Amino acid sequence: MIVDQRYVDYINSLEKELPPYLEELEQYALQTEVPIIRKEMQSFLKTLLKMNKPKQILEVGTAIGFSALLMKEFMPADGQITTIEKYEKRIPVARANFEAHGDGRITLLEGDAMEILAGLTGSYDMIFMDAAKGQYINFLPEVLRVMKTSAVLISDNVLQEGSIAESRYAVTRRDRTIHARMREYMYELTHMNELITSIVPIGDGITMSVKRMEDNNA
């Protein structure tokens, strides 16, 4: 836990209810142990979407479609979302949710994210990264390629319940690869000239990065 749970519970208690179908989908995810974005992240995304008004969103990591549908509700009415998912058991659930509630504005691409990202030819105003955490660093070059100037990259779960601040020897052996890759990812985001990045300790930690203009190294 990054922030005291009392504060989180209080903040979440102030949130307005989501549309009923999203409330139901959130409960389904909790009951079936499907990871979806936390309440704090939902609030942050809603505000960001209304502020930036992105027309083209790319999501890496669909799960059952909750976050894509949430973004659809708060992005411009003529906006489009492209979302990528590899896990075969979740794809039919996501597709059914999009058919029922996506209003034809969400495109689901099935398969390995690295392969799909390499084949994308469009460009995006916003990218939401919420896939395999150990792969974020590998996705980054292709993600940068498809980001428009001033596009926003949001990466979720970067603080790993606070373990990212620990020595690699303080985390379990099975988690050391993810720990090392996430640290590398966060270092790249905060040090590369192409991006301006802030690390925000909400939910399980996020990074928010904005792509600079090509000739702006300030």
Side-chain angles (χ1 to χ4, degrees), residues 21-93:
Y21 80 90
L22 281 176
E23 293 281 356
E24 292 176 8
L25 187 54
E26 183 178 39
Q27 289 305 309
Y28 170 83
L30 293 172
Q31 293 165 7
T32 56
E33 299 184 342
V34 175
I36 62 171
I37 57 175
R38 304 183 189 193
K39 288 285 189 183
E40 311 92 278
M41 188 60 184
Q42 294 174 33
S43 178
F44 181 85
L45 275 181
K46 289 187 290 186
T47 304
L48 181 65
L49 289 163
K50 285 299 182 182
M51 181 173 64
N52 280 17
K53 299 179 174 58
K55 293 290 187 71
Q56 294 292 332
I57 295 177
L58 173 65
E59 178 184 53
V60 186
T62 311
I64 58 173
F66 178 84
S67 51
L69 287 165
L70 177 81
M71 290 190 288
K72 187 266 306 185
E73 290 289 336
F74 292 92
M75 71 186 299
D78 58 346
Q80 295 287 325
I81 298 173
T82 300
T83 183
I84 303 170
E85 180 57 50
K86 180 181 180 180
Y87 190 29
E88 293 181 356
K89 290 184 178 180
R90 290 179 183 158
I91 288 172
V93 181

Side-chain angles (χ1 to χ4, degrees), residues 3-201:
V3 179
D4 190 297
Q5 188 62 46
R6 293 177 303 161
Y7 304 151
V8 173
D9 291 342
Y10 171 68
I11 292 168
N12 289 344
S13 74
L14 300 176
E15 281 295 300
K16 291 182 179 179
E17 290 188 356
L18 295 169
Y21 80 90
L22 281 176
E23 293 281 356
E24 292 176 8
L25 187 54
E26 183 178 39
Q27 289 305 309
Y28 170 83
L30 293 172
Q31 293 165 7
T32 56
E33 299 184 342
V34 175
I36 62 171
I37 57 175
R38 304 183 189 193
K39 288 285 189 183
E40 311 92 278
M41 188 60 184
Q42 294 174 33
S43 178
F44 181 85
L45 275 181
K46 289 187 290 186
T47 304
L48 181 65
L49 289 163
K50 285 299 182 182
M51 181 173 64
N52 280 17
K53 299 179 174 58
K55 293 290 187 71
Q56 294 292 332
I57 295 177
L58 173 65
E59 178 184 53
V60 186
T62 311
I64 58 173
F66 178 84
S67 51
L69 287 165
L70 177 81
M71 290 190 288
K72 187 266 306 185
E73 290 289 336
F74 292 92
M75 71 186 299
D78 58 346
Q80 295 287 325
I81 298 173
T82 300
T83 183
I84 303 170
E85 180 57 50
K86 180 181 180 180
Y87 190 29
E88 293 181 356
K89 290 184 178 180
R90 290 179 183 158
I91 288 172
V93 181
R95 190 171 297 284
N97 287 328
F98 294 156
E99 288 175 357
H101 305 290
D103 303 329
R105 297 167 53 199
I106 303 175
T107 300
L108 175 60
L109 303 180
E110 303 177 23
D112 183 81
M114 275 300 300
E115 296 176 3
I116 292 174
L117 286 168
L120 292 177
T121 57
S123 56
Y124 298 88
D125 306 300
M126 176 175 158
I127 297 179
F128 181 45
M129 189 95 79
D130 192 20
K133 314 313 170 193
Q135 296 300 316
Y136 282 13
I137 186 65
N138 298 322
F139 297 154
L140 185 56
E142 292 297 338
V143 165
L144 281 171
R145 180 182 63 83
V146 298
M147 289 176 71
K148 297 178 181 178
T149 299
S150 298
V152 176
L153 166 62
I154 303 294
S155 306
D156 201 11
N157 305 115
V158 297
L159 295 182
Q160 299 286 282
E161 298 290 349
S163 68
I164 200 68
E166 303 293 339
S167 161
R168 69 184 298 269
Y169 299 106
V171 300
T172 59
R173 186 180 297 273
R174 68 178 183 177
D175 292 331
R176 287 179 185 173
T177 297
I178 293 177
H179 181 269
R181 289 182 179 180
M182 185 58 78
R183 279 195 160 203
E184 181 184 1
Y185 179 70
M186 293 173 69
Y187 184 89
E188 287 296 313
L189 290 183
T190 53
H191 286 78
M192 58 181 13
N193 287 332
E194 295 93 330
L195 299 173
I196 301 172
T197 296
S198 177
I199 301 170
V200 186

